Structures are given as structure tokens and as C-alpha cells.
Amino acid sequence: MSQFDVTIIGSGPGGYVAAIRCAQLGFKTAIIEKYPTLGGTCLNVGCIPSKALLASSHHYEELQHFADHGIEVSGKVKVNLAKMIERKQQVVDQTCGGIKFLMDKNKITVFEGVGSFVDANHINVAKNDGSNEVIESKYTIIATGSKPSSLPFITLDKERIITSTEALKMTEVPKHLVIIGGGVIGIELGQVYLRLGAQVSVVEYMDRIIPGMDGALSKELTKVLKKQGMKFYTSHKVKEVTRTGKAVTVKADDAKGNELVLEGDYCLVAVGRRPFTDGLNAEAAGVKITERGQVEVNDHLQTTASTIYAIGDVVRGAMLAHKAEEEGVMVAEFIAGQRPHIDYNLIPGVVYTWPEVAGVGKTEEQLKAEGIAYKAGSFPFKALGRARASADLDGFVKVLADAKTDEILGMHMIGARCADLIAEAVVAMEFRASAEDLTRMSHAHPTFAEAIKEAALAATDNRALHV
């Protein structure tokens, strides 16, 4: 029987990063993955492929505005969706191949099959070739991730009524794509097909899109996407989704009970994701699964079985690849006897639309609900020289700071390059910087990052210089 110090079930960002860190720490490490490629949802049918399509569709959208920059394109420009999907798959294949290289480099044993517990220290691997192998592991890390959620009355045929997985490999641009759910997944994929010529309608149960982020970001993104042609039906509860041939009908009621009927040729169900523990046989190892389907863990991500840990989408908290990575490193180091920590308040959230949306720390809504006295400063991108030069005028940066101490409590932004700019906020808050600290740091000119300094100035006695 093969024996390992640590075995990870699942090879997504949390799982493969945990495996690498375990190997770096000197543990004999194995990873079990049921699919033929490593990388989990993120690399195969999530973060990476969606960003590839967002990038491709963004290039097409930019082409429509080339004339504004003095670039004249003659002849007909058309979308080759098949080529776009092919490029997306090439990006996925290269990225997943890179993970395989890292496993080999770090001498991590990879098992291709479904891992299930025999007991707390033995795992059965039902291999894809039909055979079975039981391995022994001193410690195990559950990193089995999540799957798309649906609504109980919806039948996903994965042809016309689809999840994000199918939306990443469409064979045609929809005429009218109806999206149920105005969260990150729905909005990102909605913008992809909006750019390519589809009519896009978003039905959201809450009173605004991206409801988990600061309200000002939601308001601004709604305004920008409406300007681009996307339609929104917020505060609507979907009650029925039916298909007749190539037509899909979505019915929903608003807050007053008025019925909305939308007819489309595709319906994307993007109502979130659920933890995936199917086939894990967790009870055999003494691992408790909560009523919400999550693996129950303590502050060290240790399950109810002392030698088994769980990370990523399968445990509480935001379902984010980078959160899973941090947890994978933390568990590996904790097993090694170190004392790592994660500040979950400083895990940034990002929406990769254009303009990009990002936030970290407390939102204004949270600060008000918690009765925390704060001051706010904002700076619009339209007042930024770099933004004017590239014609990326939508959006703003908002800094929230403690009213007494000036410590930064949250930073929220929408605009060009915000997915990258948010890292400055995370660094500042990790070291408990004040808004004043940011104002004293030199920011290169002209850059998008200057908006952060200006917003900090605005939060510091309304001292913004360029607005």
C-alpha cells in the first residue's frame, strides 16, 4: 500500500497549491483528481476560460471605437465564435499543462480517479481505468470545490437551459440570452455575449446586481452596462423556466406580484455554486457535513476528524480561487507546525467586466450596519489624465477610513485595471495603513493608480487635488 504524509483530494487552485506547499515543506505528497486534467473548476470551466473569452470579446468591442483613435479599419469585421472558443481552450490546456509540470517538478504523486474515505487515514481511489487502489495518508486535505447551483423547478438540459460550463463552449451567439442571477458569473458571461451581438437580459432576486459588493459599485456597474445595452430586472423572483424547441421562456414576479415574461433562445442559470462533496464518503472518516453541504471546520480549517482538513469552496466563506489558495498554504504550514493566519476581511473580490470592479474590506453598508464611524473619499476616473488618454472614463475609487484613527477600513473601485489596482488596497490594509499614509506615497504619473491616492486625499479632510 502506498503511504503519504499528506493527500489532497481535488486539484483546483486550493488543492494544487496546498500540494505544492506541502512538498516544499518536505512532506511526501499525493493529489487525487477525478478529471483527466488538473486545475479544477477555476482552470477548466471557470476563472481562466471566462477571462479568455472576456479578453477576446473586449478586443472586438474595442474595434468598434478604433476610429476615435484615428485608426480606420476597412472591410467587414466579423466574429468567429468557433475560433474564439478554440483559443479559449488553448489557454485552458496550456494552463492545466503548467499545473501538471508543477506536480512533476515538486515530485507530487498524481492519482487520476475519485477519492473516497475508507476511514480517517485510508482513501480509496476509484481510478478512471476501472481499477481501485487504497492509499494510506497521515493527513488529508479535502479540496473538492463546488458545482453550479440551480433552482429546484428548473430542468437544466445543458443545451438551451445552461450553466456557466456550457456558456463557455457555445456554438453560436445567442439572439437573446436570459440570465438568471446578477452575480459575478452571470454579469461576466453576459458581457461576453453582449459584446458579440446578443441581447442580454438579467433577472436578479435581490434589489441590485453584484449584491455582495459595495452598493456604489453596483449602481455604477448597472449604469455602465445599461449604456452598453444590457437589460436588468432586479427584485424579481423567477418562478418558471420552460423550453419549446429553440425557444426558452422565463417567468418571474416582481416585488408587487406583477409577472414578467421573457422569451429567449438561451437561458443561463447563474444563481451561485454549491459545495461538492458527492462520493467523498466523509462519514466513514468522521468528517461532518453541515446542513448547507459544507465541510465543518474550525479556525485552523481542521474538520471533525483531527487529521483531515478542508479548504476552498467546500468550506465556509467566499467561493474564490485566491481564498482557496491562501487556505491551502495555511493548512500545509499548520500541519508542519507553523502558525500561519488568514485575515478573511482582506480577501479581495473582483468582477472582470470592463470596467473592472474590485473591493476589499468593509463596504459602506457594513460599516453603517455595525455602527462604525467612518469617513469616505472618492475620485472619478474621468478626472484622471491616464483614463482620458485611453478613453476609459467610467468608474471611481472610494476609500473608507476610520473617523478617529484614519485606518483604512475598506476600498472599493470600478474602472480600468481595478482587478490589479485592488492589490495596493490589500497591501495597505494588511499593514494597517491610514488614508494619510497613502497620500504620502508617490504614485507615478500618469497612471490609473493615481486614483487611489486622490481618493485617499479626498478621505483626508477633502484634500483631493484634481477634482
Side-chain angles (χ1 to χ4, degrees):
M1 181 182 294
S2 297
Q3 297 178 323
F4 298 93
D5 296 317
V6 184
T7 298
I8 297 94
I9 305 177
S11 71
Y16 82 72
V17 167
I20 292 170
R21 187 66 184 121
C22 283
Q24 289 176 341
L25 290 166
F27 294 121
K28 184 180 179 184
T29 307
I31 194 164
I32 303 170
E33 173 55 58
K34 69 177 182 178
Y35 292 112
T37 56
L38 302 175
T41 291
C42 177
L43 273 64
N44 287 277
V45 290
C47 318
I48 300 302
S50 62
K51 283 7 154 223
L53 290 182
L54 279 162
S56 295
S57 62
H58 185 56
H59 288 315
Y60 178 67
E61 181 185 44
E62 284 189 311
L63 189 63
Q64 319 305 314
H65 304 286
F66 273 11
D68 297 338
H69 295 270
I71 302 171
E72 297 180 3
V73 179
S74 59
K76 185 178 181 180
V77 178
K78 64 178 183 178
V79 171
N80 185 336
L81 183 61
K83 181 66 176 177
M84 196 176 288
I85 298 294
E86 179 187 340
R87 177 191 174 273
K88 177 267 299 182
Q89 193 57 46
Q90 289 172 352
V91 172
V92 168
D93 292 344
Q94 291 166 3
T95 309
C96 291
I99 305 305
K100 178 63 170 64
F101 166 79
L102 291 173
M103 296 300 101
D104 294 339
K105 174 187 174 184
N106 289 280
K107 297 179 174 58
I108 297 164
T109 302
V110 177
F111 291 94
E112 187 178 312
V114 176
S116 61
F117 288 105
V118 176
D119 56 41
N121 295 107
H122 294 86
I123 303 167
N124 179 68
V125 183
K127 296 183 178 180
N128 295 346
D129 63 8
S131 64
N132 284 273
E133 181 177 352
V134 176
I135 63 174
E136 183 176 335
S137 188
K138 186 176 180 181
Y139 296 99
T140 302
I141 302 173
I142 301 170
T144 47
S146 61
K147 293 287 184 182
S149 295
S150 186
L151 297 173
F153 54 86
I154 296 178
T155 300
L156 295 167
D157 61 26
K158 299 187 178 181
E159 295 176 351
R160 295 281 166 175
I161 305 174
I162 62 177
T163 69
S164 56
T165 300
E166 293 76 46
L168 292 168
K169 52 184 180 182
M170 302 278 274
T171 58
E172 64 178 355
V173 176
K175 295 180 179 65
H176 183 194
L177 176 62
V178 180
I179 300 174
I180 302 174
V184 177
I185 296 171
I187 296 300
E188 287 184 356
L189 291 174
Q191 192 177 50
V192 167
Y193 290 105
L194 180 73
R195 290 166 172 167
L196 302 183
Q199 177 185 344
V200 177
S201 300
V202 178
V203 184
E204 168 57 44
Y205 178 75
M206 302 294 284
D207 61 356
R208 59 188 177 92
I209 62 171
I210 54 171
M213 303 190 82
D214 191 273
L217 301 182
S218 172
K219 183 178 180 180
E220 180 73 5
L221 184 61
T222 299
K223 183 183 76 174
V224 173
L225 292 179
K226 277 185 176 180
K227 187 168 60 176
Q228 294 176 6
M230 195 175 291
K231 296 182 179 179
F232 296 99
Y233 303 90
T234 54
S235 299
H236 276 73
K237 182 179 181 180
V238 174
K239 61 181 181 180
E240 183 180 305
V241 179
T242 55
R243 174 186 173 183
T244 304
K246 294 183 178 181
V248 179
T249 302
V250 176
K251 294 183 179 180
D253 291 333
D254 66 12
K256 296 181 179 179
N258 300 311
E259 185 178 68
L260 168 73
V261 179
L262 294 173
E263 302 279 355
D265 53 340
Y266 288 91
C267 174
L268 168 60
V269 181
V271 294
R273 300 181 64 84
R274 63 173 181 85
F276 185 75
T277 57
D278 301 11
L280 198 57
N281 200 26
E283 61 276 6
V287 174
K288 183 179 178 181
I289 306 295
T290 71
E291 292 181 357
R292 299 183 64 184
Q294 297 170 329
V295 178
E296 184 174 296
V297 292
N298 61 19
D299 290 342
H300 300 301
L301 299 174
Q302 189 176 38
T303 71
T304 46
S306 61
T307 61
I308 300 174
Y309 296 77
I311 62 174
D313 289 4
V314 82
V315 301
R316 62 178 180 255
M319 290 185 173
L320 298 169
H322 46 286
K323 177 251 196 187
E325 290 184 9
E326 296 301 322
E327 290 179 333
V329 171
M330 185 177 84
V331 167
E333 293 178 350
F334 187 78
I335 291 173
Q338 299 180 17
R339 292 293 179 265
H341 81 285
I342 297 174
D343 185 343
Y344 285 97
N345 184 52
L346 300 185
I347 302 290
V350 179
V351 187
Y352 293 88
T353 50
W354 197 265
E356 293 176 332
V357 186
V360 67
K362 300 289 187 180
T363 65
E364 275 207 71
E365 291 78 12
Q366 289 172 327
L367 292 174
K368 289 175 181 176
E370 295 172 20
I372 298 174
Y374 69 95
K375 51 187 179 179
S378 293
F379 188 80
F381 270 53
K382 63 183 178 183
L384 201 64
R386 180 68 179 84
R388 284 196 297 274
S390 63
D392 291 304
L393 302 177
D394 292 317
F396 59 86
V397 173
K398 177 167 67 173
V399 172
L400 304 173
D402 188 282
K404 293 181 180 179
T405 67
D406 197 39
E407 180 179 350
I408 299 169
L409 303 176
M411 198 178 300
H412 309 279
M413 54 187 73
I414 174 170
R417 310 288 180 231
C418 283
D420 300 301
L421 293 178
I422 197 64
E424 179 174 343
V426 177
V427 171
M429 293 175 67
E430 184 68 51
F431 289 92
R432 303 193 67 173
S434 65
E436 176 79 14
D437 288 332
L438 281 183
T439 70
R440 299 297 177 183
M441 297 176 187
S442 178
H443 287 64
H445 174 77
T447 59
F448 291 110
E450 287 178 284
I452 294 176
K453 178 175 180 175
E454 289 281 357
L457 282 165
T460 308
D461 301 322
N462 197 28
R463 287 165 44 198
L465 299 170
H466 291 88
V467 68

